[in-house]
Amino acid sequence: MADLSPVETLRAAAARLRALAEDATPGPWRVVEHHGITDDGWKQIAVETDDPGNSIDVCDVATVYPDDSDADAEWIALVHPGIAEPLAEWLSDAADLLAAHLPIWAGGLERPDGSTSPVTPPDELARMVAGHFGPALRMARVLLGVPDGQ
């Protein structure tokens, strides 16, 4: 994923969200029961979907930190596949907006009078992108497993 432009990074993250959500158990999810602890120390988490009475085991949560395992289960249920489309749409919209702004911000465009707009230095352009699209780019990099700043 390295060497993606900011616009490509946003679009790749949106695509990844959509692809993963399409193959996952539809949400929303709710933690409905804990089936206890397995012999190897894992808490089994079941979630209920919108299909009434249909609960499924989605994951096992390590009980290494037992005080956190209930919160982990609630977090997993919260971040179900149903959030993928709104988040992907936000990332796609940010990509479109950034793609529209980059040529203007970069400068060097021909004006109606025949002159060209000043060219923005790369470090200043990077600050402008980060200032306006930083949260979306950070989210995209997390989703793609790319360290921030790359």
Side-chain angles (χ1 to χ4, degrees), residues 97-129:
L97 192 58
L98 179 55
H101 279 79
L102 272 176
I104 298 165
W105 290 348
L109 298 176
E110 186 174 336
R111 297 178 175 153
D113 67 3
S115 65
T116 57
S117 60
V119 174
T120 304
D123 59 333
E124 186 177 335
L125 184 58
R127 279 193 299 275
M128 292 170 75
V129 169

mmCIF file of all heavy atoms in Angstrom, residues 97-129:
data_model
loop_
_atom_site.group_PDB
_atom_site.id
_atom_site.type_symbol
_atom_site.label_atom_id
_atom_site.label_comp_id
_atom_site.label_asym_id
_atom_site.label_seq_id
_atom_site.Cartn_x
_atom_site.Cartn_y
_atom_site.Cartn_z
ATOM 1 N N LEU A 97 -13.334 15.278 -2.871
ATOM 2 C CA LEU A 97 -13.092 16.679 -2.511
ATOM 3 C C LEU A 97 -11.603 17.011 -2.597
ATOM 4 O O LEU A 97 -11.215 18.057 -3.134
ATOM 5 C CB LEU A 97 -13.634 16.952 -1.110
ATOM 6 C CG LEU A 97 -13.745 18.393 -0.666
ATOM 7 C CD1 LEU A 97 -14.631 19.201 -1.611
ATOM 8 C CD2 LEU A 97 -14.306 18.446 0.750
ATOM 9 N N LEU A 98 -10.768 16.116 -2.097
ATOM 10 C CA LEU A 98 -9.321 16.329 -2.163
ATOM 11 C C LEU A 98 -8.850 16.353 -3.622
ATOM 12 O O LEU A 98 -8.049 17.214 -4.003
ATOM 13 C CB LEU A 98 -8.582 15.248 -1.380
ATOM 14 C CG LEU A 98 -7.055 15.322 -1.379
ATOM 15 C CD1 LEU A 98 -6.548 16.672 -0.904
ATOM 16 C CD2 LEU A 98 -6.481 14.194 -0.535
ATOM 17 N N ALA A 99 -9.370 15.440 -4.438
ATOM 18 C CA ALA A 99 -8.992 15.418 -5.854
ATOM 19 C C ALA A 99 -9.366 16.722 -6.551
ATOM 20 O O ALA A 99 -8.633 17.197 -7.425
ATOM 21 C CB ALA A 99 -9.650 14.233 -6.555
ATOM 22 N N ALA A 100 -10.476 17.316 -6.144
ATOM 23 C CA ALA A 100 -10.893 18.584 -6.743
ATOM 24 C C ALA A 100 -10.029 19.749 -6.272
ATOM 25 O O ALA A 100 -9.760 20.687 -7.033
ATOM 26 C CB ALA A 100 -12.357 18.862 -6.415
ATOM 27 N N HIS A 101 -9.579 19.697 -5.014
ATOM 28 C CA HIS A 101 -8.807 20.801 -4.454
ATOM 29 C C HIS A 101 -7.320 20.762 -4.789
ATOM 30 O O HIS A 101 -6.679 21.811 -4.865
ATOM 31 C CB HIS A 101 -8.976 20.853 -2.933
ATOM 32 C CG HIS A 101 -10.229 21.509 -2.501
ATOM 33 N ND1 HIS A 101 -11.452 20.876 -2.511
ATOM 34 C CD2 HIS A 101 -10.465 22.764 -2.065
ATOM 35 C CE1 HIS A 101 -12.372 21.696 -2.089
ATOM 36 N NE2 HIS A 101 -11.814 22.856 -1.805
ATOM 37 N N LEU A 102 -6.763 19.569 -4.946
ATOM 38 C CA LEU A 102 -5.310 19.464 -5.148
ATOM 39 C C LEU A 102 -4.789 20.316 -6.305
ATOM 40 O O LEU A 102 -3.789 21.023 -6.133
ATOM 41 C CB LEU A 102 -4.893 18.003 -5.319
ATOM 42 C CG LEU A 102 -4.594 17.264 -4.026
ATOM 43 C CD1 LEU A 102 -4.282 15.801 -4.320
ATOM 44 C CD2 LEU A 102 -3.465 17.908 -3.252
ATOM 45 N N PRO A 103 -5.397 20.286 -7.469
ATOM 46 C CA PRO A 103 -4.851 21.109 -8.560
ATOM 47 C C PRO A 103 -4.880 22.606 -8.238
ATOM 48 O O PRO A 103 -3.966 23.340 -8.610
ATOM 49 C CB PRO A 103 -5.771 20.799 -9.751
ATOM 50 C CG PRO A 103 -6.451 19.528 -9.409
ATOM 51 C CD PRO A 103 -6.521 19.470 -7.915
ATOM 52 N N ILE A 104 -5.914 23.021 -7.545
ATOM 53 C CA ILE A 104 -6.028 24.438 -7.176
ATOM 54 C C ILE A 104 -4.956 24.791 -6.153
ATOM 55 O O ILE A 104 -4.260 25.799 -6.275
ATOM 56 C CB ILE A 104 -7.441 24.742 -6.640
ATOM 57 C CG1 ILE A 104 -8.483 24.472 -7.730
ATOM 58 C CG2 ILE A 104 -7.543 26.170 -6.119
ATOM 59 C CD1 ILE A 104 -9.901 24.381 -7.219
ATOM 60 N N TRP A 105 -4.835 23.940 -5.121
ATOM 61 C CA TRP A 105 -3.846 24.199 -4.079
ATOM 62 C C TRP A 105 -2.415 24.118 -4.609
ATOM 63 O O TRP A 105 -1.550 24.857 -4.167
ATOM 64 C CB TRP A 105 -4.000 23.210 -2.937
ATOM 65 C CG TRP A 105 -5.236 23.395 -2.111
ATOM 66 C CD1 TRP A 105 -6.099 24.452 -2.113
ATOM 67 C CD2 TRP A 105 -5.740 22.474 -1.154
ATOM 68 N NE1 TRP A 105 -7.108 24.249 -1.221
ATOM 69 C CE2 TRP A 105 -6.919 23.039 -0.612
ATOM 70 C CE3 TRP A 105 -5.339 21.235 -0.689
ATOM 71 C CZ2 TRP A 105 -7.678 22.418 0.359
ATOM 72 C CZ3 TRP A 105 -6.093 20.605 0.282
ATOM 73 C CH2 TRP A 105 -7.249 21.196 0.797
ATOM 74 N N ALA A 106 -2.166 23.182 -5.509
ATOM 75 C CA ALA A 106 -0.808 22.991 -6.019
ATOM 76 C C ALA A 106 -0.337 24.192 -6.820
ATOM 77 O O ALA A 106 0.849 24.499 -6.870
ATOM 78 C CB ALA A 106 -0.746 21.732 -6.874
ATOM 79 N N GLY A 107 -1.261 24.880 -7.454
ATOM 80 C CA GLY A 107 -0.893 26.054 -8.236
ATOM 81 C C GLY A 107 -0.392 25.668 -9.608
ATOM 82 O O GLY A 107 -0.489 24.521 -10.050
ATOM 83 N N GLY A 108 0.134 26.683 -10.298
ATOM 84 C CA GLY A 108 0.629 26.460 -11.647
ATOM 85 C C GLY A 108 -0.478 26.377 -12.679
ATOM 86 O O GLY A 108 -0.252 25.935 -13.796
ATOM 87 N N LEU A 109 -1.685 26.789 -12.281
ATOM 88 C CA LEU A 109 -2.804 26.750 -13.222
ATOM 89 C C LEU A 109 -2.825 28.013 -14.073
ATOM 90 O O LEU A 109 -2.508 29.106 -13.609
ATOM 91 C CB LEU A 109 -4.127 26.637 -12.455
ATOM 92 C CG LEU A 109 -4.321 25.389 -11.588
ATOM 93 C CD1 LEU A 109 -5.625 25.485 -10.818
ATOM 94 C CD2 LEU A 109 -4.307 24.134 -12.450
ATOM 95 N N GLU A 110 -3.237 27.848 -15.294
ATOM 96 C CA GLU A 110 -3.345 29.007 -16.180
ATOM 97 C C GLU A 110 -4.598 29.798 -15.828
ATOM 98 O O GLU A 110 -5.678 29.250 -15.682
ATOM 99 C CB GLU A 110 -3.394 28.570 -17.644
ATOM 100 C CG GLU A 110 -3.356 29.757 -18.584
ATOM 101 C CD GLU A 110 -3.246 29.351 -20.032
ATOM 102 O OE1 GLU A 110 -2.757 28.235 -20.311
ATOM 103 O OE2 GLU A 110 -3.660 30.149 -20.886
ATOM 104 N N ARG A 111 -4.404 31.105 -15.691
ATOM 105 C CA ARG A 111 -5.509 32.003 -15.385
ATOM 106 C C ARG A 111 -6.106 32.542 -16.686
ATOM 107 O O ARG A 111 -5.470 32.459 -17.738
ATOM 108 C CB ARG A 111 -5.009 33.158 -14.523
ATOM 109 C CG ARG A 111 -4.493 32.711 -13.178
ATOM 110 C CD ARG A 111 -3.972 33.893 -12.400
ATOM 111 N NE ARG A 111 -3.574 33.488 -11.062
ATOM 112 C CZ ARG A 111 -2.660 34.113 -10.351
ATOM 113 N NH1 ARG A 111 -2.030 35.169 -10.833
ATOM 114 N NH2 ARG A 111 -2.366 33.695 -9.145
ATOM 115 N N PRO A 112 -7.325 33.108 -16.605
ATOM 116 C CA PRO A 112 -7.956 33.660 -17.813
ATOM 117 C C PRO A 112 -7.092 34.708 -18.516
ATOM 118 O O PRO A 112 -7.149 34.843 -19.741
ATOM 119 C CB PRO A 112 -9.254 34.273 -17.294
ATOM 120 C CG PRO A 112 -9.562 33.502 -16.053
ATOM 121 C CD PRO A 112 -8.225 33.144 -15.460
ATOM 122 N N ASP A 113 -6.258 35.414 -17.747
ATOM 123 C CA ASP A 113 -5.425 36.452 -18.368
ATOM 124 C C ASP A 113 -4.134 35.896 -18.973
ATOM 125 O O ASP A 113 -3.289 36.635 -19.464
ATOM 126 C CB ASP A 113 -5.107 37.562 -17.367
ATOM 127 C CG ASP A 113 -4.215 37.090 -16.219
ATOM 128 O OD1 ASP A 113 -3.775 35.916 -16.211
ATOM 129 O OD2 ASP A 113 -3.957 37.910 -15.316
ATOM 130 N N GLY A 114 -3.961 34.568 -18.915
ATOM 131 C CA GLY A 114 -2.782 33.954 -19.495
ATOM 132 C C GLY A 114 -1.652 33.727 -18.509
ATOM 133 O O GLY A 114 -0.709 33.001 -18.801
ATOM 134 N N SER A 115 -1.717 34.350 -17.337
ATOM 135 C CA SER A 115 -0.682 34.119 -16.329
ATOM 136 C C SER A 115 -0.960 32.797 -15.616
ATOM 137 O O SER A 115 -2.006 32.179 -15.800
ATOM 138 C CB SER A 115 -0.661 35.276 -15.319
ATOM 139 O OG SER A 115 -1.871 35.297 -14.586
ATOM 140 N N THR A 116 -0.018 32.373 -14.804
ATOM 141 C CA THR A 116 -0.227 31.139 -14.030
ATOM 142 C C THR A 116 -0.223 31.469 -12.549
ATOM 143 O O THR A 116 0.436 32.410 -12.091
ATOM 144 C CB THR A 116 0.875 30.097 -14.319
ATOM 145 O OG1 THR A 116 2.147 30.680 -14.040
ATOM 146 C CG2 THR A 116 0.829 29.621 -15.748
ATOM 147 N N SER A 117 -0.978 30.675 -11.808
ATOM 148 C CA SER A 117 -1.004 30.861 -10.361
ATOM 149 C C SER A 117 0.317 30.366 -9.777
ATOM 150 O O SER A 117 0.986 29.512 -10.364
ATOM 151 C CB SER A 117 -2.184 30.111 -9.751
ATOM 152 O OG SER A 117 -2.085 28.727 -10.026
ATOM 153 N N PRO A 118 0.704 30.918 -8.631
ATOM 154 C CA PRO A 118 1.976 30.490 -8.044
ATOM 155 C C PRO A 118 1.928 29.009 -7.652
ATOM 156 O O PRO A 118 0.887 28.495 -7.280
ATOM 157 C CB PRO A 118 2.126 31.379 -6.808
ATOM 158 C CG PRO A 118 0.834 32.076 -6.625
ATOM 159 C CD PRO A 118 0.016 31.922 -7.853
ATOM 160 N N VAL A 119 3.060 28.364 -7.761
ATOM 161 C CA VAL A 119 3.171 26.956 -7.391
ATOM 162 C C VAL A 119 3.393 26.871 -5.885
ATOM 163 O O VAL A 119 4.227 27.583 -5.321
ATOM 164 C CB VAL A 119 4.330 26.276 -8.157
ATOM 165 C CG1 VAL A 119 4.542 24.858 -7.669
ATOM 166 C CG2 VAL A 119 4.061 26.310 -9.650
ATOM 167 N N THR A 120 2.634 26.005 -5.224
ATOM 168 C CA THR A 120 2.752 25.811 -3.780
ATOM 169 C C THR A 120 3.909 24.851 -3.504
ATOM 170 O O THR A 120 3.955 23.756 -4.083
ATOM 171 C CB THR A 120 1.450 25.222 -3.215
ATOM 172 O OG1 THR A 120 0.369 26.081 -3.582
ATOM 173 C CG2 THR A 120 1.501 25.092 -1.708
ATOM 174 N N PRO A 121 4.831 25.216 -2.607
ATOM 175 C CA PRO A 121 5.922 24.289 -2.257
ATOM 176 C C PRO A 121 5.349 22.981 -1.693
ATOM 177 O O PRO A 121 4.327 22.991 -1.005
ATOM 178 C CB PRO A 121 6.712 25.041 -1.188
ATOM 179 C CG PRO A 121 6.346 26.482 -1.380
ATOM 180 C CD PRO A 121 4.940 26.483 -1.904
ATOM 181 N N PRO A 122 5.998 21.851 -1.966
ATOM 182 C CA PRO A 122 5.476 20.547 -1.538
ATOM 183 C C PRO A 122 5.196 20.446 -0.039
ATOM 184 O O PRO A 122 4.193 19.863 0.356
ATOM 185 C CB PRO A 122 6.570 19.560 -1.961
ATOM 186 C CG PRO A 122 7.267 20.242 -3.085
ATOM 187 C CD PRO A 122 7.202 21.715 -2.788
ATOM 188 N N ASP A 123 6.081 21.001 0.805
ATOM 189 C CA ASP A 123 5.846 20.894 2.246
ATOM 190 C C ASP A 123 4.608 21.691 2.666
ATOM 191 O O ASP A 123 3.843 21.266 3.534
ATOM 192 C CB ASP A 123 7.083 21.304 3.051
ATOM 193 C CG ASP A 123 7.535 22.728 2.769
ATOM 194 O OD1 ASP A 123 7.277 23.248 1.668
ATOM 195 O OD2 ASP A 123 8.155 23.321 3.666
ATOM 196 N N GLU A 124 4.384 22.822 2.029
ATOM 197 C CA GLU A 124 3.190 23.601 2.333
ATOM 198 C C GLU A 124 1.934 22.887 1.826
ATOM 199 O O GLU A 124 0.902 22.864 2.488
ATOM 200 C CB GLU A 124 3.279 25.000 1.716
ATOM 201 C CG GLU A 124 2.131 25.905 2.127
ATOM 202 C CD GLU A 124 2.267 27.311 1.563
ATOM 203 O OE1 GLU A 124 3.393 27.757 1.273
ATOM 204 O OE2 GLU A 124 1.212 27.963 1.427
ATOM 205 N N LEU A 125 2.024 22.286 0.661
ATOM 206 C CA LEU A 125 0.905 21.526 0.118
ATOM 207 C C LEU A 125 0.560 20.351 1.044
ATOM 208 O O LEU A 125 -0.613 20.092 1.321
ATOM 209 C CB LEU A 125 1.226 21.021 -1.290
ATOM 210 C CG LEU A 125 0.115 20.284 -2.026
ATOM 211 C CD1 LEU A 125 -1.127 21.155 -2.175
ATOM 212 C CD2 LEU A 125 0.610 19.812 -3.386
ATOM 213 N N ALA A 126 1.574 19.671 1.547
ATOM 214 C CA ALA A 126 1.355 18.559 2.481
ATOM 215 C C ALA A 126 0.665 19.042 3.750
ATOM 216 O O ALA A 126 -0.226 18.364 4.285
ATOM 217 C CB ALA A 126 2.677 17.877 2.819
ATOM 218 N N ARG A 127 1.055 20.221 4.249
ATOM 219 C CA ARG A 127 0.394 20.786 5.435
ATOM 220 C C ARG A 127 -1.063 21.120 5.137
ATOM 221 O O ARG A 127 -1.943 20.934 5.975
ATOM 222 C CB ARG A 127 1.140 22.023 5.934
ATOM 223 C CG ARG A 127 2.368 21.709 6.779
ATOM 224 C CD ARG A 127 2.899 22.938 7.502
ATOM 225 N NE ARG A 127 3.321 23.997 6.596
ATOM 226 C CZ ARG A 127 4.524 24.077 6.029
ATOM 227 N NH1 ARG A 127 5.419 23.153 6.291
ATOM 228 N NH2 ARG A 127 4.829 25.074 5.223
ATOM 229 N N MET A 128 -1.338 21.626 3.954
ATOM 230 C CA MET A 128 -2.714 21.952 3.582
ATOM 231 C C MET A 128 -3.568 20.685 3.525
ATOM 232 O O MET A 128 -4.693 20.651 4.045
ATOM 233 C CB MET A 128 -2.740 22.669 2.230
ATOM 234 C CG MET A 128 -2.120 24.058 2.278
ATOM 235 S SD MET A 128 -1.882 24.771 0.626
ATOM 236 C CE MET A 128 -3.565 25.209 0.222
ATOM 237 N N VAL A 129 -3.033 19.634 2.912
ATOM 238 C CA VAL A 129 -3.764 18.372 2.820
ATOM 239 C C VAL A 129 -4.023 17.814 4.219
ATOM 240 O O VAL A 129 -5.146 17.425 4.555
ATOM 241 C CB VAL A 129 -3.009 17.359 1.939
ATOM 242 C CG1 VAL A 129 -3.621 15.964 2.049
ATOM 243 C CG2 VAL A 129 -2.981 17.824 0.493
#
